[in-house]
Every structure is written in C-alpha cells, then in structure tokens.
Amino acid sequence: VMGQICLSLTLLTAAGLFLRSALRAADLAPGFRTANSIVVELDAGLAGYSQTRGQETYRALLARLKALPGVESASLAATVPFGITSNERGIRRADSDAADKRSLVNCQSNLVDENYFQTMGIAMLRGRSFLPAEAAARSAVVIDRLAASRLRPDGDALGTHILMGSGEGGKPREMEVVGIVGQVWEHIVGKGEDPHVYTPFGPEYQSDMHIHLKVRSESGMLESVRREIRAFDAALPVLALKTMQQHLEGSADMWITRTAATLFSIFAGVALLLAMIGLYGIRSYTVARRTRE
C-alpha cells in the first residue's frame, strides 16, 4: 500500500506539472500576432522552379495577395514559430577574438522580407527593418533583444558589425545590425528563450517558404487565399494553409504537452484509486480483527 501511495503521488505530481504547462501554453504570449493572422506554406522547388523563377514567383504572389480585399499586410519568411523545422546560425562581433568561444552567440535564424515584423506584429525596439539596397548587398541583419544582450552585454548592439556563418560552410561574412526587435518564443517545453537573427530574403534563397498575412477578419479568408493562389499559379503546391491560431494548436509542442497531461492524469487517477482501495482494505482488516473487543 505504501508503494501504491508513493507511485500515485509521483504520477499526480507529474500530471500536475504537465497540466500547468498546458495551462501556461494556453496563456502563452509568443511575442507575435496570433489573431487575424494567416500562414501559407509553399514550395516552389516541388514545382521544378529554379532559384530565380522561385524568387520571382514568391514576389509576384506576395504582391497579388496584398491586393486581396481584407488583407492589410503580407510578408515572406523561411520558418514559422512553433513549426517543424528551424535554422540555427552562429554570430559574433567582428572585433571579437575568433578563438574565444564565449563570443559566439548561437541564434535561431530566419530569412524574411522587409515587411515581416510589421505583418507579424513583432515590436521594433531599436533601429529599423531592411532596405532593398541592403537586402541586395547582403549587408544588414536584424536581431532580437536576447541576441543583442549576449552580443554586447555592456552596451548597445545597434550598429554593431558582426560575422555570421553563411549556412553553406563558406567563409563568414560581415554584416551590420540595423534593428533590434522583441523576443519571439519558439517552444513551449524543453527550451526557454532563444536568441534570433533575421536576414533579408533575396540574396539567400529557400524553396520552402511561408507567406504571412495580416487580415481584418479570418472569416472566409482561407478559401479566398487558396483560390487566389490557384488562379495565380495552379502548379505551385500549397503545403499548408491555416490561421496562426490553428498552427499553434496543431504544433508538436502543444500536442506533446496536452497528450502527456492527459496520459499522466489517467495513470495518476488509476494509481490513486488502487492506493485508496489498498488503504481501505488494511483499515477494514484491522477493524474486523478488533470487532470482538
């Protein structure tokens, strides 16, 4: 019986922790807009498009979706928060010692266009977003508050020149920090906050891209967006089309948290019931032995 009680308390504790994580996830402030927001995942590579044609296709489609009634803003991004895939790159100050491992800041990397922060509702704390000339020259980056504090713990990181890996195993290139934005959460469980670095879309290319849309109302917009993409290019595969809230609800982190909370609650309930039955049996036996007295 003591073993049953210990097991039930252990399972109840685990269930409570997962339930707390699930409640925290429901009230999570991810650092970006979730209401009236739509995300579309496309892959021009699956249609056989080259890099040049893929870039032209995404730019033209973005302009067409911006013209849709009800769309307030639109932008491109390589990854989406709470998505399946993520990219990581290391950055360090250009004037730091390359041999000093502490100067390297490992960041979540995202390839975005100049309207990304406005569309996503990510706060611009210092500086500005990209300019077309900077994007073409691959000379500018935007980092978040956490990356800025790690890059320059004793000062302001705006205007700092950094060295960033190319992501292709090539020589790191020097870029200037032109903006500092608010923090964005990427995970519910396992990890805490991650530093982020944002590079401009254009010089770099990824065939699998996400289009973010800020809309006045989500009602009926998903089907309108789908029809517009088909009318623009029927060969362009739409891998996903959903609201941002649907994306968050269906994320792997949310599924793990809710599933674990449900399973541990069931196991804890069964263990507690067995412990109660065992404890009742012992007390009943003790009373029965002393009934004659």
Side-chain angles (χ1 to χ4, degrees):
V1 171
M2 291 302 299
Q4 290 176 346
I5 293 175
C6 292
L7 178 61
S8 65
L9 288 176
T10 302
L11 291 173
L12 282 171
T13 302
L17 292 173
F18 276 106
L19 283 172
R20 186 177 68 175
S21 296
L23 292 174
R24 185 180 66 179
D27 297 332
L28 179 67
F32 55 87
R33 179 184 294 104
T34 58
N36 295 332
S37 182
I38 293 175
V39 58
V40 189
E41 184 179 3
L42 306 165
D43 194 338
L46 296 179
Y49 294 170
S50 64
Q51 175 175 339
T52 302
R53 185 177 178 185
Q55 290 176 333
E56 293 173 352
T57 299
Y58 285 136
R59 289 292 189 185
L61 177 59
L62 195 66
R64 186 156 176 169
L65 291 177
K66 284 180 182 179
L68 270 179
V71 175
E72 297 181 353
S73 180
S75 65
L76 283 168
T79 63
V80 60
F82 295 93
I84 298 176
T85 61
S86 61
N87 300 320
E88 185 173 303
R89 289 188 181 181
I91 63 173
R92 61 182 177 86
R93 297 204 314 263
D95 58 357
S96 64
D97 185 5
D100 186 6
K101 299 298 183 182
R102 294 174 297 178
S103 64
L104 185 66
V105 181
N106 290 316
C107 301
Q108 295 290 328
S109 173
N110 200 356
L111 189 66
V112 303
D113 69 356
E114 60 274 8
N115 296 319
Y116 176 76
F117 307 108
Q118 175 190 352
T119 304
M120 290 289 288
I122 301 174
M124 181 65 68
L125 305 179
R126 297 285 310 280
R128 54 174 174 77
S129 185
F130 307 111
L131 298 176
E134 292 172 334
R138 307 172 73 180
S139 60
V141 296
V142 173
I143 61 177
D144 67 0
R145 179 174 51 195
L146 183 58
S149 64
R150 294 184 181 180
L151 201 62
R152 280 198 179 275
D154 55 348
D156 187 6
L158 187 65
T160 300
H161 285 255
I162 66 170
L163 293 176
M164 184 175 66
S166 65
E168 304 164 355
K171 183 180 179 181
R173 64 180 184 273
E174 184 172 337
M175 308 179 79
E176 180 184 356
V177 177
V178 297
I180 300 175
V181 297
Q183 191 65 33
V184 171
W185 287 82
E186 294 271 1
H187 306 279
I188 298 175
V189 296
K191 292 185 177 181
E193 293 180 315
D194 292 316
H196 288 74
V197 58
Y198 302 92
T199 56
F201 174 79
E204 294 186 38
Y205 175 72
Q206 178 178 305
S207 63
D208 182 8
M209 294 292 291
H210 296 82
I211 293 181
H212 294 279
L213 301 174
K214 176 188 175 184
V215 297
R216 297 191 187 95
S217 174
E218 296 172 353
S219 177
M221 285 302 299
L222 292 180
E223 191 57 36
S224 297
V225 171
R226 189 183 299 275
R227 285 198 303 267
E228 192 68 19
I229 295 174
R230 287 176 179 171
F232 172 76
D233 189 345
L236 189 63
V238 178
L239 304 184
L241 173 59
K242 61 187 77 172
T243 65
M244 182 59 74
Q245 194 60 45
Q246 289 173 338
H247 168 73
L248 293 178
E249 293 292 331
S251 66
D253 278 24
M254 190 72 74
W255 181 86
I256 291 172
T257 302
R258 290 179 174 175
T259 302
T262 301
L263 290 177
F264 274 97
S265 298
I266 294 173
F267 293 152
V270 173
L272 183 61
L273 178 63
L274 292 175
M276 291 170 59
I277 294 173
L279 187 60
Y280 172 80
I282 287 180
R283 299 307 298 166
S284 176
Y285 174 71
T286 303
V287 171
R289 288 188 62 188
R290 302 190 64 183
T291 299
R292 185 172 57 182
E293 301 177 11

